[in-house]
Amino acid sequence: MNYIQADLATPARGQIRLHDESAFEGMRRAGRLAAECLDLLVLEAKPGVTTGYLDDLARKFAFEKGATPACLHYRGYRNTICTSINHVVCHGIPNDKPLRDGDIMNIDVTLIVDGWHGDTSRMVILGGAKRRAERLVEITYEALMRGIEAARPGGTLGDIGAAIQEFAEGERCSVVRDFCGHGIGRLFHDAPNVVHFGERGRGYELRPGMFFTIEPMINLGKPGVKILDDGWTAVTRDRSLSAQFEHTVGITESGVEVFTRSPAGLDCPPYDKPAAA
């Protein structure tokens, strides 16, 4: 796979695009708006609320802000967000079933702003969840942040995967292998794939101008997953709890920039006391 300046790349996948400062500015706008949408959703997610209601809120928010929901009609998907509850690993479909006290849920949002994609997800802990569920959420967030810390120019994608895997497995959890992060920018899913396990020093070199997501999915049980008959919903094979956090990042000359941090400081639960924006 080749590295290429983004303005010279073809529309197809297969090239790792290196973006300029104007692209960074576009990703900042898209990432911030996606994070603002999640700020709204995580505060509205409570026992008794339906994921369909949250989906409606997200779609209304996007259109009012002049953004496009990237998931809506993407490969036939009919919703704005994904809502993955308890043993659902990812791509859970919003519906009219009320959320329950003790559930944990991932909310995944991608918005397109002026052609740029901001892709991010967070966990919500609903009411009195058991300690093992809270612990899984804490471990998953820390795994994400360790992956981001490992994203540096001159490093490799393997550095990111190893940082996540070493921490998660050290906490007696498992890393899902079936899904990964991805390049992003003007394309929703682009090269390279960003797996959440691996060896330090292996994989593609991280170069300034690369944009991608880091989105580890961590299970309390074994890493195996299966896809339900709807063609979207991925669940743990052993029905163990699963959690995920996601940020969109860009590699800079000196480190990494996170485009999707919460403007209100709501990056990780509990979300009951938002900071001033």
Side-chain angles (χ1 to χ4, degrees):
M1 190 175 296
N2 298 321
Y3 297 84
I4 188 168
Q5 293 299 316
D7 57 352
L8 300 177
T10 63
R13 288 194 53 170
Q15 300 166 315
I16 298 178
R17 302 166 208 271
L18 304 179
H19 298 83
D20 61 15
E21 178 54 34
S22 65
F24 272 80
E25 185 54 39
M27 291 297 285
R28 291 179 189 120
R29 294 193 301 271
R32 181 181 177 90
L33 195 66
E36 287 178 357
C37 185
L38 267 185
D39 286 347
L40 168 68
L41 299 179
V42 298
L43 293 177
E44 290 288 333
K46 302 171 184 176
V49 168
T50 70
T51 51
Y53 168 74
L54 298 176
D55 190 67
D56 290 341
L57 278 182
R59 185 165 52 255
K60 180 179 179 181
F61 175 92
F63 290 148
E64 287 181 349
K65 298 294 184 178
T68 301
C71 289
L72 189 61
H73 306 308
Y74 180 78
R75 296 182 179 177
Y77 192 73
R78 298 182 179 180
N79 296 88
T80 295
I81 61 176
C82 295
T83 49
S84 302
I85 303 169
N86 295 332
H87 71 291
V88 178
V89 175
C90 61
H91 303 158
I93 301 173
N95 57 39
D96 294 329
K97 183 178 179 180
L99 295 166
R100 299 176 301 174
D101 185 82
D103 284 340
I104 61 172
M105 174 177 63
N106 178 270
I107 305 174
D108 194 339
V109 173
T110 308
L111 298 182
I112 308 171
V113 179
D114 298 327
W116 298 101
H117 291 73
D119 188 1
T120 184
S121 78
R122 296 179 213 160
M123 294 299 297
V124 180
I125 300 172
L126 296 154
K130 294 181 179 179
R131 178 56 192 152
R132 63 190 181 95
E134 294 178 338
R135 177 176 171 271
L136 175 64
V137 171
E138 293 165 0
I139 290 167
T140 305
Y141 181 73
E142 179 64 19
L144 168 67
M145 299 313 293
R146 291 190 182 215
I148 292 172
E149 179 64 25
R152 293 290 182 270
T156 69
L157 288 173
D159 297 343
I160 297 172
I164 292 168
Q165 180 182 12
E166 290 166 6
F167 175 73
E169 292 182 353
E171 294 294 329
R172 302 183 304 282
C173 295
S174 65
V175 179
V176 171
R177 264 74 165 168
D178 299 68
F179 300 96
C180 61
H182 51 87
I184 194 169
R186 290 197 175 276
L187 292 180
F188 190 175
H189 295 101
D190 201 1
N193 289 337
V194 182
V195 299
H196 305 113
F197 59 95
E199 298 180 29
R200 296 180 187 274
R202 302 294 296 272
Y204 292 109
E205 179 186 356
L206 301 176
R207 298 186 184 180
M210 291 174 66
F211 297 158
F212 52 86
T213 68
I214 305 176
E215 46 183 299
M217 286 149 269
I218 308 298
N219 296 347
L220 269 184
K222 295 180 180 180
V225 307
K226 64 179 180 180
I227 309 298
L228 299 186
D229 290 342
D230 59 31
W232 287 101
T233 308
V235 300
T236 54
R237 285 189 174 274
D238 60 7
R239 296 191 64 83
S240 64
L241 292 176
S242 186
Q244 179 188 21
F245 284 90
E246 175 184 14
H247 274 311
T248 297
V249 305
I251 301 297
T252 69
E253 294 290 341
S254 59
V256 62
E257 179 174 349
V258 180
F259 298 124
T260 47
R261 288 194 190 277
S262 163
L266 302 176
D267 289 296
C268 183
Y271 299 119
D272 54 334
K273 296 181 180 179

